[in-house]
Amino acid sequence: MPAQSMEELVALCKRRGFVFQASEIYGGLQGIYDYGPLGVELKNNLKAAWWRAMVHERDDVEGLDSAILTNPNVLRYSGHEDTFSDPLVDCRTCKSRWREDHLHGEFCPHCGSPDLTDARPFNLMFKTNVGPVEDASAFAYLRPETAQSIFTNFKNVLDSTSAKLPFGIAQIGKAFRNEITPRNFVFRVREFEQMELEFFVEPGTDEDWHERWVEERLAWWREQGIDGNRLRLLRVPDDELAHYSKQTVDVMYHFPHGIEELEGIANRTDFDLGSHTKNQRSLDITAAVLPNRDSNARLAVQRQSDKRWMVPFVIEPSAGVDRGVLAVLNEAYNVETLANGSQRTLLSLQPHLAPVKAAVLPLKRNHDGIVATARAIKASLTKLGLGRILFENTGNIGKGYRRHDEVGTPLCITVDHQTLDDNAVTVRDRDTMHQERVNTTALADYLRERLA
Ligand code: GAP
């Protein structure tokens, strides 16, 4: 059973150190969050799982880590300066501002007034000054998607690797959008992370590749522990497509606040590479927005068969890390009633996502032999490279078990008096609460198998 409400998740995240309000001691900053000690581990594990599936396990994808600050021309030719906006409505009575498509009816959701302005476009991109001179032209954008720098680096990657079509470039990184109404915890925020793949293909093969990527991405989300019943595919209606898209399929998830987009998989055609290419007219480009006078690049490849230059089409699976974290937390969350009538909160995260893989707990916090053995076990298990193994010397095993159930630690390893005689420890399973004795010489293999 996932969480019954967003409030349950928010409370757990704050209590156990997954997510905090940013700048909290100064009253916070709306739509901006910080990830705490467990949140950063969970987030890193989710990103690592994506990178493994999208880059390491494939031979047709290369990685990239590009800058956040972006030359305005990139976002001019990409079409973002003109079109990356949401419809903004002001309430004349209480002065609050709303995204038109988030209004329910014709009244202000804050004060109920019907006195609303007509909608006008509000560009979502953040700007910042570059360099010491306060000159209106010396500015850069904080990127609103990681994708554009993949397009602007297309030639660099092509020339520095042996990549041939079809191939992709993957990137994980921050993106910024000045959302009119950030809401629903980390679901809609102003600073977030994306995991994006731009997969370049020959025109004509794009629709097949689009379908393949939709299937691949759906399967990947299931591997992260998301129940298929709470995942849906939505074909975005033509009149709601982004300016660059020929077709988009959204992976929708049943979040605590409703069914909403987790990932978008778009067929961006040759729009972006074409738009960033100089002299488009000499190329076979159909969709470029502007004749490009500023770029010096030809973001095209020579077709193997007839050596003609062509601009590849691109299929783009684009997932939000923060929405991913919210979805896996929601899926894993459970409150169980035990046989004795008490309740325990349980986070049944997939082992590869769990922030802490195993906690090593000495039964007695002041017993030198037990504590030293526990420390040595932690040190040797950490060397396995399975992720975070925690040594925790509170002396209260029952409380330790409850806390680790709540943060999703798959295994707790207790070192007791008997360990000093028989070299065995008690290993407790998070989900079943089953306990078994395991010899420390077999512990490494045991963990490898259980956490695989
Ligand atoms: N490059 C394509 C692109 O950016 P998008 O649908 O605007 O497409 C892709 O964003 C993903 O990024 C979304 O599916 C969502 O997971 C995430 N995302 C977008 N805006 C977000 C926001 N304000 N807060 C959190 N995540 C967001």
Side-chain angles (χ1 to χ4, degrees):
M1 271 282 285
Q4 299 301 302
S5 67
M6 190 69 95
E7 286 67 37
E8 271 181 300
L9 287 184
V10 174
L12 173 77
C13 285
K14 165 93 177 158
R15 188 168 67 243
R16 292 302 184 198
F18 283 94
V19 182
F20 307 127
Q21 175 73 56
S23 311
E24 191 177 9
I25 62 169
Y26 290 104
L29 197 53
Q30 216 199 349
I32 317 275
Y33 288 90
D34 294 335
Y35 284 78
L38 295 178
V40 63
E41 297 284 347
L42 171 57
K43 202 181 189 202
N44 283 345
N45 291 340
L46 188 68
K47 291 191 284 184
W50 187 90
W51 197 260
R52 206 162 42 241
M54 303 298 259
V55 183
H56 290 187
E57 288 175 6
R58 306 184 66 101
D59 294 316
D60 55 0
V61 175
E62 301 291 341
L64 183 74
D65 181 18
S66 66
I68 287 167
L69 294 179
T70 307
N71 183 318
N73 275 333
V74 173
L75 293 151
R76 178 171 160 232
Y77 285 103
S78 69
H80 284 76
E81 275 194 345
D82 286 340
T83 58
F84 196 62
S85 54
D86 278 337
L88 174 72
V89 168
D90 288 281
C91 170
R92 290 196 189 90
T93 308
C94 72
K95 311 292 177 221
S96 60
R97 297 182 135 186
W98 302 94
R99 216 174 102 169
E100 188 186 32
D101 52 332
H102 286 171
L103 290 174
H104 302 293
E106 291 168 4
F107 301 96
C108 170
H110 185 240
C111 71
S113 164
D115 194 7
L116 305 176
T117 62
D118 288 340
R120 62 186 189 283
F122 173 77
N123 196 292
L124 301 182
M125 290 196 292
F126 283 101
K127 279 180 182 176
T128 189
N129 286 340
V130 175
V133 184
E134 289 269 341
D135 171 353
S137 65
F139 78 93
Y141 287 114
L142 305 193
R143 65 183 177 198
E145 59 171 4
T146 73
Q148 288 307 320
S149 51
I150 296 183
F151 301 129
T152 56
N153 275 297
F154 174 78
K155 205 81 176 92
N156 287 333
V157 174
L158 204 62
D159 292 348
S160 58
T161 64
S162 52
K164 298 251 175 330
L165 288 189
F167 82 98
I169 304 177
Q171 170 155 240
I172 299 177
K174 290 263 183 175
F176 300 82
R177 295 182 190 178
N178 198 4
E179 295 283 352
I180 296 169
T181 41
R183 54 165 84 177
N184 294 317
F185 196 32
V186 295
F187 177 83
R188 187 176 307 287
V189 283
R190 291 181 167 138
E191 173 175 343
F192 55 99
E193 272 187 276
Q194 292 184 313
M195 307 183 281
E196 297 200 297
L197 171 71
E198 306 303 322
F199 197 78
F200 303 100
V201 303
E202 269 208 36
T205 64
D206 51 306
E207 291 182 9
D208 283 351
W209 275 108
H210 194 203
E211 276 174 32
R212 279 160 77 167
W213 276 112
V214 170
E215 291 310 314
E216 292 237 4
R217 297 303 305 144
L218 203 53
W220 185 83
W221 282 113
R222 290 207 186 100
E223 284 164 22
Q224 309 319 305
I226 301 203
D227 183 338
N229 290 323
R230 276 184 290 278
L231 287 171
R232 310 248 149 100
L233 292 178
L234 173 81
R235 205 191 136 137
V236 177
D238 288 352
D239 59 351
E240 290 175 24
L241 288 173
H243 62 278
Y244 49 71
S245 176
K246 163 177 159 186
Q247 193 189 115
T248 297
V249 175
D250 285 342
V251 178
M252 310 289 282
Y253 172 70
H254 200 146
F255 288 97
H257 62 281
I259 299 174
E260 294 230 45
E261 179 186 335
L262 175 61
E263 168 162 356
I265 302 152
N267 182 345
R268 289 181 82 132
T269 68
D270 55 1
F271 182 88
D272 299 274
L273 290 184
S275 303
H276 291 307
T277 292
K278 194 177 176 68
N279 298 331
Q280 295 110 323
R281 290 207 183 90
S282 67
L283 292 167
D284 190 9
I285 299 174
T286 50
V289 271
L290 292 170
N292 195 321
R293 290 177 292 273
D294 297 308
S295 163
N296 57 18
R298 174 146 82 161
L299 304 180
V301 295
Q302 259 181 316
R303 198 163 22 211
Q304 303 281 345
S305 51
D306 57 8
K307 301 290 173 219
R308 277 193 63 197
W309 284 94
M310 66 162 172
V311 177
F313 270 36
V314 67
I315 306 301
E316 177 197 63
S318 170
V321 178
D322 309 76
R323 289 187 190 180
V325 165
L326 191 60
V328 296
L329 277 175
N330 185 52
E331 279 297 304
Y333 186 89
N334 199 0
V335 179
E336 264 184 15
T337 303
L338 303 176
N340 65 6
S342 67
Q343 288 200 319
R344 72 162 180 155
T345 305
L346 178 65
L347 215 48
S348 290
L349 290 167
Q350 294 290 303
H352 71 279
L353 295 179
V356 177
K357 306 302 174 192
V360 186
L361 313 171
L363 185 69
K364 294 276 177 219
R365 59 184 302 201
N366 296 321
H367 189 293
D368 291 348
I370 292 178
V371 170
T373 305
R375 278 193 194 282
I377 290 173
K378 179 241 150 98
S380 73
L381 293 180
T382 298
K383 289 196 185 112
L384 300 176
L386 297 169
R388 184 132 203 229
I389 310 286
L390 202 66
F391 165 81
E392 208 170 69
N393 195 12
T394 63
N396 189 332
I397 301 300
K399 266 196 175 167
Y401 286 166
R402 289 286 171 275
R403 189 172 50 254
H404 282 287
D405 287 346
E406 209 180 32
V407 301
T409 307
L411 301 170
C412 284
I413 299 167
T414 302
V415 179
D416 54 23
H417 292 99
Q418 214 185 321
T419 310
L420 305 182
D421 294 333
D422 67 2
N423 218 21
V425 290
T426 300
V427 183
R428 174 187 178 272
D429 179 277
R430 173 195 68 197
D431 297 338
T432 62
M433 295 190 286
H434 175 76
Q435 301 187 9
E436 60 182 321
R437 294 291 282 182
V438 178
N439 197 284
T440 53
T441 54
L443 209 47
D445 283 342
Y446 183 93
L447 253 71
R448 275 198 203 96
E449 193 187 315
R450 294 295 309 279
L451 300 174

